[in-house]
Amino acid sequence: MGEFVVGGREFERDGRPVRLLSGALHYFRVHEAQWGHRLAMLRAMGLNCVETYVPWNLHEPRPGAYRDPEALGRFLDAAHAAGLLALVRPGPYICAEWENGGLPHWLTGPLGRRVRTRDPEYLRAVDAWFGRLLPQVVARQYDRGGPVVMVQAENEYGSYGSDREYLAHMVDLLRDLGVGVPLFTSDGPEDHMLTGGSVPGVLATANFGSGARGAFAALRRHQPDGPLMCGEFWCGWFSHWGDAPVARSPEDAAEALREILECGASVNVYMAHGGTNFGGWAGANRSGELHDGALRPTVTSYDYDAPIDERGRPTEKFRRFREVLAPYAPGPLPEVPVPPPVLAAPVRAESGGWAPLADVLDALGGPEVTAGVPPAFEELDVDRGVVRYRFEVPGPRGPFPLRVTGLRDLAVTYVEGVRGPDLAEEEAEIGAAVTGPATVELWVESLGRVNYGPRLGEPKGLTGGVLHERQYLHGVRARGLRLDALEDAAAVGRVPFGDVGGCACGAGRQRPLTGEQPGLYRATLPVPSPGDATLELPGWKRGFAWINGFCLGRYWATGPQHTLFVPGPVLRPGANELLLLELAGAPALEGKRAGAPRLVP
């Protein structure tokens, strides 16, 4: 079997120097049927290695209930078949602009700031998860005939903490579970980050987007020996809802890549192919230099302005990178693969019914909880989705304002069944003064848990309460709806769908599918010949979309993303079921009426 080691100045593969030319491609952001194509694209760009994170919360949605952790092994097998080496970054924390940085809600909920430390309860959960996951990696290590040449210990820890005992535990855990290939860490090229995140005896790498010579000089101050490597070369960036799209010129990115290689370093292009935050798994950041300001949720597309775009197509940046990387290849680069097939012609959705949110919650929601104060999402076992909080204003009493505290992140409000304002601030007021007795409802939606910085692991939902004048309203009823409940076709079959908008239009006809009211909309997409497509939702406000039980992610009229990518393998010839969980309702769009959804090539 082979051998991969960290030498004094270079990596060595089977006794010969080798430079790792790696690209990030996250298996969980690409439909499995398209892994082979994307991996071939990496090879064609001039890379010899692929890197992937592993999101814990995707694979263990509830304690001890695992959801296909074997997907990692299948991806590594696909990488091996494509002729690529592999770097695995198993976390447990991954950042990655992913919900909660990959940490499960059922863990951060009760533990809070105790995660990513030596806390015994946290380490027990990590040990159990790694015990389940790591066999996928160990069996595919390079010295056992597989592609895995290095495994990361934790992730960018110097940007978060300084618990040396915790980092030592993570290194020992990886070794105890059979990881024999070299370990590495990755941190920003600042002294405090490298000090906080590095581990003696473990290769340190630096993450940056430009200024390679300065970054590697900082790395050498902390690690005089060992190969130089940029663990993440940020060739683009991600986008937040409500912001302008982020882009980096191909010329600038290519020159930054060239500088890394001229330093004699290895590199991991982040991202080589970004893919999509399917399933509503996009995370969020906090604004400000210290990442403790306003919430900035990440969009569904993880295109990242990468050289291979969201749909797997080569860009100008791809061509520039290929030119830079070609001289470092052992021979001619492979031809660029033919793109996957695309939808032949546009398809308009045919209405199939609508159910109000309350009926959807009754059919698919978790148990209703009655408590003195509002339970957080985590206490209701809601990772992604919405929670209805119902309060009673005692009476008789005079009119006072209703104030909401600790809201994370959005709320649609109702007072005595009448729609009130939509709330988007942590401290907000529900419209005009309210006289008791009255029933108040808040439908609260998470926009994604923070994935980076000191507010990692903060709870979602109504984390404060509702006050009538200065008095808290106690005795709340709360019920959650998880997004994954809509992946179960049998469960969705229990939803009492009626005519769209509750309108009986005669002769079996229904009103057009327009998303005028919050609720679950069902439609059919007649597809003659499947292929990659784009789902357009003209005028729809905010919610989530599924096709044939596959969650495409969040849509939101605030932009900058106004469509959703539909991988061709999700579609089938003939009728395809479209579900739209519209959480806001189109009337909020300044009087503009929404149009019927449609698929376009």
Side-chain angles (χ1 to χ4, degrees):
M1 293 299 177
E3 182 184 43
F4 186 91
V5 299
V6 174
R9 288 289 174 181
E10 299 171 304
F11 294 112
E12 296 177 9
R13 179 184 182 184
D14 300 330
R16 297 182 178 181
V18 64
R19 187 194 302 244
L20 291 179
L21 304 174
S22 178
L25 192 168
H26 300 155
Y27 66 93
F28 46 92
R29 285 181 160 130
V30 179
H31 193 283
E32 183 167 353
Q34 297 183 329
W35 287 349
H37 173 265
R38 304 302 195 264
L39 291 165
M41 290 292 292
L42 264 63
R43 282 287 312 278
M45 194 169 74
L47 301 177
N48 60 15
C49 184
V50 63
E51 170 265 303
T52 187
Y53 278 125
V54 182
W56 182 3
N57 51 7
L58 176 68
H59 293 303
E60 193 176 1
R62 292 183 172 92
Y66 298 105
R67 181 175 180 175
D68 195 22
E70 292 77 19
L72 173 62
R74 297 195 300 274
F75 178 74
L76 294 174
D77 290 342
H80 194 39
L84 292 166
L85 301 174
L87 308 177
V88 179
R89 305 170 76 183
Y93 162 80
I94 64 171
C95 183
E97 292 70 61
W98 188 260
E99 163 85 14
N100 222 21
L103 297 175
H105 72 286
W106 51 261
L107 190 63
T108 58
L111 297 190
R113 293 178 295 107
R114 292 156 54 193
V115 300
R116 303 185 77 191
T117 71
R118 70 189 75 182
D119 179 80
E121 190 173 349
Y122 171 68
L123 293 182
R124 279 194 296 272
V126 172
D127 292 356
W129 162 235
F130 269 34
R132 181 67 174 81
L133 174 72
L134 263 295
Q136 302 293 316
V137 179
V138 170
R140 293 168 175 85
Q141 295 180 104
Y142 188 73
D143 60 359
R144 301 191 184 190
V148 178
V149 293
M150 291 205 299
V151 174
Q152 183 177 262
E154 238 280 345
N155 180 56
E156 296 180 316
Y157 191 70
S159 300
Y160 180 79
S162 57
D163 192 334
R164 312 292 297 178
E165 186 174 319
Y166 166 56
L167 288 181
H169 177 92
M170 293 308 306
V171 170
D172 291 344
L173 177 62
L174 290 167
R175 291 302 188 205
D176 291 345
L177 290 173
V179 176
V181 295
L183 303 179
F184 71 100
T185 60
S186 64
D187 289 285
E190 287 82 31
D191 288 331
H192 67 289
M193 293 183 181
L194 288 166
T195 300
S198 300
V199 179
V202 174
L203 178 72
T205 68
N207 300 344
F208 54 87
S210 59
R213 290 179 176 84
F216 288 138
L219 183 59
R220 278 291 183 230
R221 289 197 298 271
H222 294 261
Q223 183 174 260
D225 298 313
L228 291 174
M229 182 168 182
C230 177
E232 289 185 6
F233 165 53
W234 304 319
C235 64
W237 206 245
F238 51 91
S239 298
H240 293 118
W241 290 111
D243 291 352
V246 178
R248 182 178 187 181
S249 76
E251 298 82 2
D252 179 65
E255 284 307 307
L257 175 60
R258 190 187 309 276
E259 182 182 355
I260 293 172
L261 299 177
E262 288 174 349
C263 291
S266 291
V267 66
N268 178 48
V269 177
Y270 193 100
M271 298 290 297
H273 171 58
T276 308
N277 291 312
F278 296 122
W281 285 106
N285 293 280
R286 289 282 179 179
S287 64
E289 185 177 351
L290 299 179
H291 299 271
D292 59 356
L295 190 78
R296 302 181 68 201
T298 301
V299 301
T300 296
S301 171
Y302 201 63
D303 179 88
Y304 206 86
D305 192 28
I308 303 165
D309 75 6
E310 183 179 15
R311 296 179 63 143
R313 300 170 299 193
T315 66
E316 177 61 24
K317 192 174 290 184
F318 177 95
R319 288 181 277 275
R320 298 269 182 164
F321 280 19
R322 182 176 160 98
E323 291 174 359
V324 172
L325 292 165
Y328 298 91
L333 296 182
E335 292 295 321
V336 178
V338 175
V342 300
L343 191 72
V347 174
R348 181 184 174 91
E350 300 172 353
S351 178
W354 168 82
L357 282 180
D359 289 354
V360 179
L361 186 62
D362 287 343
L364 302 178
E368 186 168 71
V369 172
T370 300
V373 298
F377 274 43
E378 292 75 11
E379 295 171 284
L380 296 169
D381 190 30
V382 175
D383 52 358
R384 300 147 295 131
V386 63
V387 171
R388 181 188 66 192
Y389 295 96
R390 182 176 286 164
F391 298 86
E392 300 296 334
V393 180
R397 60 172 61 192
F400 293 110
L402 282 170
R403 292 186 295 119
V404 176
T405 65
L407 173 62
R408 298 184 187 143
D409 296 305
L410 293 179
V412 176
T413 64
Y414 296 87
V415 178
E416 286 294 289
V418 178
R419 177 82 175 258
D422 292 359
L423 308 181
E425 303 293 333
E426 288 205 30
E427 314 295 318
E429 192 168 293
I430 304 179
V434 175
T435 300
T439 299
V440 179
E441 285 187 3
L442 288 84
W443 290 78
V444 177
E445 175 189 354
S446 167
L447 293 178
R449 289 179 177 82
V450 169
N451 54 255
Y452 180 86
R455 294 184 67 168
L456 174 74
E458 65 183 7
K460 288 295 185 178
L462 194 51
T463 66
V466 175
L467 295 95
H468 196 223
E469 204 256 348
R470 75 198 69 181
Q471 184 185 80
Y472 277 107
L473 298 180
H474 290 128
V476 58
R477 289 175 288 165
R479 191 174 188 186
L481 175 65
R482 291 172 58 117
L483 292 187
D484 55 13
L486 286 101
E487 298 173 6
D488 184 341
V492 173
R494 298 195 298 268
V495 176
F497 288 99
D499 288 347
V500 173
C503 170
C505 299
R509 299 178 61 192
Q510 298 177 334
R511 290 169 55 180
L513 194 64
T514 59
E516 294 179 4
Q517 299 297 328
L520 182 63
Y521 292 78
R522 183 173 62 183
T524 299
L525 294 163
V527 176
S529 179
D532 285 356
T534 296
L535 178 63
E536 295 183 342
L537 297 161
W540 290 64
K541 178 66 173 175
R542 188 184 70 251
F544 296 89
W546 290 258
I547 292 181
N548 297 329
F550 184 89
C551 185
L552 303 174
R554 174 182 278 112
Y555 62 87
W556 195 357
T558 192
Q561 178 182 354
H562 296 284
T563 61
L564 293 172
F565 171 56
V566 183
V570 169
L571 301 171
R572 54 184 177 236
N576 293 261
E577 183 184 63
L578 171 66
L579 294 176
L580 297 172
L581 184 66
E582 171 60 45
L583 296 173
L589 287 172
E590 301 176 355
K592 297 179 182 178
R593 185 168 182 173
R598 57 181 177 263
L599 288 179
V600 297

